[in-house]
Amino acid sequence: MDSAYLRLIIVIAVYLVLGFYGFQAVKTVIKNPWIHTVYRVLFFGTPAALAYFIYSREPGDSFSGMPAISAGVFMAFLVLITILALFMLIEDIYRVVAWMMNHIVGVDDEDQSYMPSRRQFISGLAIATGTVPFAGLLYGMYKGKHNYQVRKYQVEFDDLPASFDGYRIVQISDIHAGSWLKSTDYKRVKYGVDLVNKQEGDLIVFTGDMVNDRADEVYEWSHLLSTLTAPDGKYSILGNHDYGDYYGPFREDPVAKDKNLQNLLTEQRNMGFDPLLNEHRFIRRNGEEFALVGVENWGTGGFSQKGDLDKASEGLTNDSFKVLLSHDPSHWREQVLTHTQQFHLTLSGHTHGFQFGIEIPQLKWSPVQYRYKEWAGIYQQGKHFINVNRGFGFLGYPGRVGIWPEISVITLKKKGEA
């Protein structure tokens, strides 16, 4: 038997066992047949919908839209039944071990072999525990993915030109327009775009991943994104997804891949963005200036490394105040901190904060922190700062739980100034 089919059979078998075993908890606590029917519909319907949308995709299409939504619902249900099955398994193991121990020592357990009251309690606890992540994942798909948060930071520098004291940079990142469905997401995305404008930044920067794979993903959103405005303009860089590296047909057709990238850059310019491709621009006020430096994607862990700091900062001196746009935060530790030029503030994205985690006053956690040391928010090392934006959009799982989409507002301050 082909190994792929064998793996599929194993996955189906595990899913069936989890589903049927988990159903025992539902039957024990809930006697309503309508709830049983809902469970069965989810049990059979979610994998069927996922299979349908996966196999009806066009070859090479990114995993977004309805395939991603069906995968999200399936994942939420899978988490639920796994928790239910785990609780029931532990309870059954306990009963078997207790029966064996009683049998060995000769205790008469005839009246306690089933213990329905304990099974009722364990089943109820399983349902209560499993419902939390199940509801959370569904909420993340319905509301969380557009729960835009404005995060304001103030960063102080000794050598900031005095004219830029109080200067406000608004940063967004990781739009991933191909993940949005205009029919359901437009109003909420428009709210987010309007919220960016309401911050009244002096400058707007976008730090990469405008699309998932193809330039045409952003076409129907171009008019909306073109409404982003700031007095000193808006600038963009490329992220790893913008090159089309993950789109199957482009792997076989480098000409089409390059054309796709040029189309994306053209579209960004049409929207009013100035793409920085290993180059810099000067932002000027009252005879003073700072350099806005933008590099192409550079990342560790197998991501493309097209960024060139030397080229981007050519002609600048170490005395020049610099704000660097670099999509992948791993670039900061690998090259930026040790570069001969000082880049005072780096603005990155890429991590999405994993779109899942916990951020409360005493706890900030996400699985992505085990991959990226700098994964969300402001970090400092010496006189160097980096802000890792949590992203404006989403990819893969079509939602966010605990790590909400972000609009960063960074105010530059001259240290010692009132």
Side-chain angles (χ1 to χ4, degrees):
M1 180 181 295
D2 185 87
S3 60
Y5 284 109
L6 179 61
R7 287 195 297 270
L8 179 60
I9 291 173
I10 293 173
V11 169
I12 292 174
V14 171
Y15 179 72
L16 291 174
V17 170
L18 289 175
F20 283 114
Y21 204 27
F23 187 52
Q24 304 311 307
V26 177
K27 286 198 307 180
T28 300
V29 175
I30 303 173
K31 306 303 180 183
N32 190 321
W34 287 105
I35 300 298
H36 298 175
T37 299
V38 170
Y39 184 97
R40 294 187 184 100
V41 169
L42 289 171
F43 178 68
F44 292 108
T46 55
L50 177 59
Y52 170 78
F53 285 117
I54 286 178
Y55 288 106
S56 63
R57 292 186 306 155
E58 292 295 324
D61 278 357
S62 62
F63 197 73
S64 58
M66 290 308 299
I69 291 173
S70 61
V73 176
F74 173 73
M75 181 173 67
F77 183 68
L78 182 60
V79 169
L80 172 63
I81 64 174
T82 300
I83 291 173
L84 295 181
L86 181 61
F87 270 81
M88 300 310 292
L89 176 62
I90 292 173
E91 201 273 339
D92 282 346
I93 291 174
Y94 175 84
R95 287 198 299 124
V96 170
V97 171
W99 177 85
M100 292 176 63
M101 293 298 295
N102 289 339
H103 185 73
I104 290 172
V105 299
V107 175
D108 182 8
D109 62 348
E110 181 179 352
D111 296 330
Q112 301 181 35
S113 61
Y114 181 56
M115 296 185 178
S117 62
R118 188 182 68 213
R119 191 158 183 94
Q120 183 96 5
F121 171 76
I122 295 297
S123 297
L125 184 60
I127 292 173
T129 304
T131 298
V132 173
F134 176 70
L137 288 168
L138 293 182
Y139 173 83
M141 294 171 59
Y142 177 61
K143 287 286 189 180
K145 63 182 178 180
H146 296 303
N147 184 22
Y148 301 105
Q149 303 290 303
V150 177
R151 294 182 177 268
K152 298 183 178 182
Y153 306 101
Q154 181 172 296
V155 188
E156 295 184 343
F157 302 92
D158 292 320
D159 51 352
L160 176 72
S163 297
F164 293 97
D165 183 46
Y167 194 83
R168 290 160 59 86
I169 300 175
V170 177
Q171 179 196 5
I172 56 174
S173 191
D174 298 87
I175 286 175
H176 288 288
S179 296
W180 291 334
L181 293 176
K182 196 165 186 178
S183 58
T184 57
D185 293 321
Y186 183 83
K187 288 184 179 179
R188 296 174 183 176
V189 174
K190 184 179 185 304
Y191 166 78
V193 170
D194 291 342
L195 191 59
V196 174
N197 283 329
K198 286 180 180 178
Q199 305 316 305
E200 299 182 339
D202 297 295
L203 180 72
I204 292 176
V205 297
F206 171 71
T207 49
D209 278 2
M210 185 163 283
V211 297
N212 295 343
D213 296 297
R214 307 186 317 272
D216 59 12
E217 295 169 1
V218 79
Y219 290 170
E220 63 181 350
W221 300 96
S222 295
H223 176 72
L224 180 58
L225 295 173
S226 68
T227 64
L228 291 169
T229 58
D232 288 338
K234 53 189 183 184
Y235 296 84
S236 64
I237 58 171
L238 297 172
N240 55 297
H241 280 269
D242 293 322
Y243 297 97
D245 290 342
Y246 314 118
Y247 185 59
F250 288 161
R251 299 190 186 113
E252 309 298 326
D253 191 347
V255 174
K257 179 181 176 182
D258 183 67
K259 183 179 180 181
N260 177 75
L261 178 59
Q262 298 310 313
N263 288 342
L264 177 60
L265 292 171
T266 297
E267 193 67 15
Q268 289 193 19
R269 293 184 180 104
N270 290 340
M271 287 187 280
F273 287 95
D274 182 0
L276 301 180
L277 308 174
N278 295 323
E279 53 191 325
H280 65 267
R281 303 284 188 268
F282 287 108
I283 309 298
R284 295 185 168 92
R285 275 193 174 184
N286 303 321
E288 295 184 299
E289 64 186 19
F290 75 82
L292 183 67
V293 184
V295 294
E296 295 194 50
N297 191 75
W298 195 104
T300 59
F303 292 104
S304 59
Q305 298 185 343
K306 303 177 186 293
D308 189 334
L309 277 175
D310 293 333
K311 181 180 177 181
S313 57
E314 187 175 357
L316 300 176
T317 68
N318 206 39
D319 293 330
S320 303
F321 190 89
K322 306 177 196 70
V323 175
L324 173 66
L325 310 182
S326 180
H327 177 68
D328 191 319
S330 65
H331 192 205
W332 192 59
R333 287 198 173 273
E334 293 294 323
Q335 287 194 343
V336 177
L337 290 177
T338 57
H339 197 269
T340 56
Q341 295 267 10
Q342 180 184 356
F343 297 92
H344 298 72
L345 172 63
T346 300
L347 303 179
S348 299
H350 182 63
T351 71
H352 300 206
F354 202 67
Q355 298 170 209
F356 175 84
I358 301 171
E359 288 196 89
I360 56 179
Q362 302 303 320
L363 177 62
K364 178 181 175 181
W365 175 86
S366 168
V368 79
Q369 71 188 54
Y370 304 114
R371 170 65 175 84
Y372 293 95
K373 188 169 184 179
E374 291 78 32
W375 60 275
I378 291 280
Y379 302 84
Q380 178 183 5
Q381 182 161 319
K383 295 183 178 181
H384 300 264
F385 292 84
I386 184 173
N387 179 58
V388 184
N389 183 282
R390 293 161 178 80
F392 192 81
F394 50 89
L395 182 70
Y397 166 61
R400 285 176 175 265
V401 179
I403 306 293
W404 312 119
E406 175 180 352
I407 300 163
S408 301
V409 181
I410 302 167
T411 301
L412 307 181
K413 294 293 293 182
K414 188 171 181 62
K415 188 172 290 187
E417 295 291 327

